[in-house]
Amino acid sequence: MSDQATDRTVPQMITGRFQYDDAHTIERYQATDGYAALRTALQMHPEDVHAEIKEASLLGRGGAGFPAGVKWGFCPPGVWPRYFVVNGDESEPGTYKDRLLMERDPHQLIEGVLIGAYATGCAQAFLYVRGEMALAQERIAAALNEAYAAGLVGKDILGSSFSCDIVLHWGAGAYIVGEETALIESLEGNRGMPRLKPPYFPAAKGLYMQPTIVNNVETMANVPWIIRNGAEAYTAYGAESSRGTRMFAVSGHVKKPGVHEVEFGTTTFRDLIYGHCGGIRGNHTLKAFIPGGASAPWFYEEHLDLPLEAGAVGAAGSMLGSGAIVVMDDTTDAVKAAWRVVRFFARESCGKCTPCREGTSWLEKVLRRMLDGQGRPEDIALLLDLCDNISPSIAWPPKQTTICPLGPSAVSPIASAIMRFKPEFQAYCGGGDVPTSVTINGKAYLPPEGAPAGV
Amino acid sequence: MPRFTAENTILAKEIIARYPHPKSALIPLLHLAQEQDGHLAEDAMVHIAELIDHTPAEVIGTASFYEMFKREPVGDYLINVCTNIACMLMGGEELLHHLEDRLDIRPGSTTADGMFTLEDVECIAACTEAPCLTVNYRYFHKISTDEADQLLEDLRAGRRAHEIPKHGTLARVRQSIPADRRAGAAVPGECGQPVWMTPKDESEDAPA
């Protein structure tokens, strides 16, 4: 199945309990090493707990891949109180892992948060769960109620001097709230619009302008395993730049779509798509795949042997993002798929920055016009011109004209689709050899064919 | 146009007390109002403004940003069909169009009998189970058009009432923090360094 001949078994570090139907109960959790890591951590000095996570090189699993241990160190000394916030607002198209972790193993998340709050000196934690995820909210509420009753959360946890409330908070439907400063705005009771940077890190100034650690659900789910088994055991898995395991959701035109926890940084796209997921459905062939959520430029056949590692994927012109792989076979209409991705960004733009608010909705309208049979010869150049206005030079990684990456994120997938499937776009614009270049700063510009997203 | 009931007012105050600043409780309180009335009634928003000591305009300002908050009544069952990329590839649009035909409404509207509201939504995090939909935020994975028809019939006949609460009710389990276990909200200006954060050298000198 895997290209690498390995004889060792990679542990299911965060999905191991999914085999039990009652994994969400405190009984099952405690019977399967649950809260052992919290007990261990409370015997350690908070700085040592922090050092262990840093040593493990645990990368953030929300999309940006920033090392959690480093982020935890950004809190300015002597500024109190600090807050711990978990980002459970999973909404990136194709991403399906945090909902599973919250529904199936909520105690694992709670334990991770407690250890994180202990290590960083946070006096209060908030679990921000996506509004639409009713079952996750129920499971977390029940788990918190059990954990409070067992003395595991709240005042003097397990008889120690560590006290921390965990408050279950939930959103009400807005993708942009996944951006950490927007999430903080939302947690303050405001419209979920990203904050102007600097300050770049909420760890310096976050909730109520106090130091705030914001981590993704999957990131925190890894913490109990690391403390239980040690950073050394953790770094025995994965590539040097990407330790441990990671969850990937493979959806779309594969025989067996599914969510898999695999070794991070060494597993390839081919292992996942053709191994775990059985390959392309029916007698079809691969047309394209999205390697890391809707914001990621598309990948093709020639990228299948790339490892699931941020550096390698980034160098090839896309991003690993949130572990969302969407596979498209040869029956897929590239223009339609591009339109659907752009419509998402147009609908979810918060409206704060003009290039994103106007640009994404223009892109959506032009693509919709093409699909409706009203494409004009100049439309491809117009699309690229719009892309350039939202993200100058359509560069990768995108250059930002906006406060947050949402608008520029819409550009790269479109540009990559236009370059790869030019004849399909041309066919919607009256066919023939319609212009596909655009003049930028007086220079005719055409993204090179080889690069998924421009220059 | 109702305000919070006496019982919900007590609950609202409990929720507010969990946060360092009352306004942080705004979204949970809006959900509570929607749970009480099925949508956000004008007076409930005024009541929330009083409870968190902000203006009604600020409450409406926040409420209007989020898709789940309905300022007009919706059907008993809100059907959200995902048509984002993974679902689109697997027939999400066809599923939506099928339901449009069956219910004889367009996305964003409610059937004349007030039973169903249909929405065309963005990714709901069930991509490997496409196409999918939710009814009052309860998931239905890999759903065929025939299964969708059966679901409508079941909903009409009240056969799903035990698993799908009325619109507005999200989690049927509430978090409740027992008074004797409560660590308390960490209010800026009132909190110093946490006791367990003694610098390492000092703690090593201290007797075990």
Side-chain angles (χ1 to χ4, degrees), chain A residues 193-261:
Chain A
M193 291 170 151
R195 287 180 179 171
L196 190 64
K197 285 92 180 166
Y200 292 100
F201 291 99
K205 278 186 173 18
L207 187 62
Y208 319 121
M209 297 313 262
Q210 291 294 124
T212 305
I213 310 277
V214 185
N215 274 135
N216 169 260
V217 167
E218 188 189 349
T219 315
M220 295 317 293
N222 275 279
V223 169
W225 197 97
I226 295 171
I227 297 299
R228 255 194 342 265
N229 300 278
E232 207 184 315
Y234 189 78
T235 52
Y237 300 98
E240 197 179 345
S241 57
S242 326
R243 296 302 191 189
T245 61
R246 192 166 169 186
M247 286 172 81
F248 290 93
V250 186
S251 58
H253 296 149
V254 286
K255 289 199 178 91
K256 294 179 290 173
V259 185
H260 298 278
E261 181 185 355

Side-chain angles (χ1 to χ4, degrees), chain A residues 102-243:
Chain A
M102 293 188 286
E103 288 178 357
R104 306 284 287 276
D105 200 348
H107 282 285
Q108 176 173 254
L109 174 63
I110 292 167
E111 188 178 12
V113 173
L114 288 168
I115 295 167
Y118 175 73
T120 51
C122 291
Q124 196 172 6
F126 299 91
L127 299 182
Y128 192 114
V129 179
R130 181 169 171 187
E132 289 90 338
M133 296 179 179
L135 181 61
Q137 291 159 26
E138 285 178 1
R139 290 272 169 89
I140 291 175
L144 281 171
N145 291 348
E146 288 173 327
Y148 266 99
L152 294 157
V153 194
K155 204 163 75 180
D156 303 332
I157 293 169
L158 291 168
S160 74
S161 62
F162 172 48
S163 296
C164 182
D165 270 343
I166 298 182
V167 175
L168 169 61
H169 187 97
W170 58 98
Y175 163 75
I176 189 58
V177 167
E179 199 271 355
E180 58 185 5
T181 63
L183 184 136
I184 287 169
E185 283 293 314
S186 183
L187 191 47
E188 290 186 1
N190 302 325
R191 296 168 76 85
M193 291 170 151
R195 287 180 179 171
L196 190 64
K197 285 92 180 166
Y200 292 100
F201 291 99
K205 278 186 173 18
L207 187 62
Y208 319 121
M209 297 313 262
Q210 291 294 124
T212 305
I213 310 277
V214 185
N215 274 135
N216 169 260
V217 167
E218 188 189 349
T219 315
M220 295 317 293
N222 275 279
V223 169
W225 197 97
I226 295 171
I227 297 299
R228 255 194 342 265
N229 300 278
E232 207 184 315
Y234 189 78
T235 52
Y237 300 98
E240 197 179 345
S241 57
S242 326
R243 296 302 191 189

Side-chain angles (χ1 to χ4, degrees), chain A residues 4-336:
Chain A
Q4 294 115 8
T6 95
D7 49 3
R8 69 201 174 112
T9 337
V10 177
Q12 301 290 294
M13 294 176 180
I14 51 175
T15 59
R17 287 185 200 86
F18 285 13
Q19 59 180 303
Y20 305 110
D21 286 339
D22 60 350
H24 57 280
T25 63
I26 196 164
E27 290 79 20
R28 173 64 68 187
Y29 190 66
Q30 289 194 312
T32 48
D33 296 330
Y35 291 109
L38 176 65
R39 288 188 168 83
T40 306
L42 292 179
Q43 299 300 315
M44 296 161 70
H45 190 277
E47 281 176 28
D48 296 332
V49 177
H50 181 182
E52 199 71 22
I53 299 301
K54 219 169 163 175
E55 186 70 29
S57 320
L58 171 62
L59 299 187
R61 305 291 202 251
F66 196 82
V70 176
K71 193 190 253 185
W72 293 8
F74 286 159
C75 291
V79 185
W80 313 99
R82 294 173 179 171
Y83 301 103
F84 209 101
V85 175
V86 174
N87 185 345
D89 193 57
E90 177 172 67
S91 329
E92 177 74 31
T95 313
Y96 176 30
K97 61 188 181 68
D98 294 342
R99 179 163 81 89
L100 281 171
L101 289 167
M102 293 188 286
E103 288 178 357
R104 306 284 287 276
D105 200 348
H107 282 285
Q108 176 173 254
L109 174 63
I110 292 167
E111 188 178 12
V113 173
L114 288 168
I115 295 167
Y118 175 73
T120 51
C122 291
Q124 196 172 6
F126 299 91
L127 299 182
Y128 192 114
V129 179
R130 181 169 171 187
E132 289 90 338
M133 296 179 179
L135 181 61
Q137 291 159 26
E138 285 178 1
R139 290 272 169 89
I140 291 175
L144 281 171
N145 291 348
E146 288 173 327
Y148 266 99
L152 294 157
V153 194
K155 204 163 75 180
D156 303 332
I157 293 169
L158 291 168
S160 74
S161 62
F162 172 48
S163 296
C164 182
D165 270 343
I166 298 182
V167 175
L168 169 61
H169 187 97
W170 58 98
Y175 163 75
I176 189 58
V177 167
E179 199 271 355
E180 58 185 5
T181 63
L183 184 136
I184 287 169
E185 283 293 314
S186 183
L187 191 47
E188 290 186 1
N190 302 325
R191 296 168 76 85
M193 291 170 151
R195 287 180 179 171
L196 190 64
K197 285 92 180 166
Y200 292 100
F201 291 99
K205 278 186 173 18
L207 187 62
Y208 319 121
M209 297 313 262
Q210 291 294 124
T212 305
I213 310 277
V214 185
N215 274 135
N216 169 260
V217 167
E218 188 189 349
T219 315
M220 295 317 293
N222 275 279
V223 169
W225 197 97
I226 295 171
I227 297 299
R228 255 194 342 265
N229 300 278
E232 207 184 315
Y234 189 78
T235 52
Y237 300 98
E240 197 179 345
S241 57
S242 326
R243 296 302 191 189
T245 61
R246 192 166 169 186
M247 286 172 81
F248 290 93
V250 186
S251 58
H253 296 149
V254 286
K255 289 199 178 91
K256 294 179 290 173
V259 185
H260 298 278
E261 181 185 355
V262 296
E263 191 164 15
F264 194 9
T266 60
T267 309
T268 64
F269 288 105
R270 189 183 297 280
D271 293 336
L272 266 182
I273 296 172
Y274 289 89
H276 292 279
C277 297
I280 311 301
R281 66 172 183 178
N283 293 319
H284 296 285
T285 54
L286 175 70
K287 177 165 184 164
F289 64 98
I290 301 176
S295 317
W298 299 357
F299 267 177
Y300 311 101
E301 186 81 35
E302 64 267 27
H303 300 106
L304 279 171
D305 292 313
L306 284 173
L308 296 158
E309 191 268 324
V313 173
S318 191
M319 64 177 192
L320 206 49
S322 51
I325 299 168
V326 184
V327 179
M328 299 179 246
D329 72 12
D330 51 11
T331 65
T332 312
D333 180 334
V335 181
K336 181 105 187 267

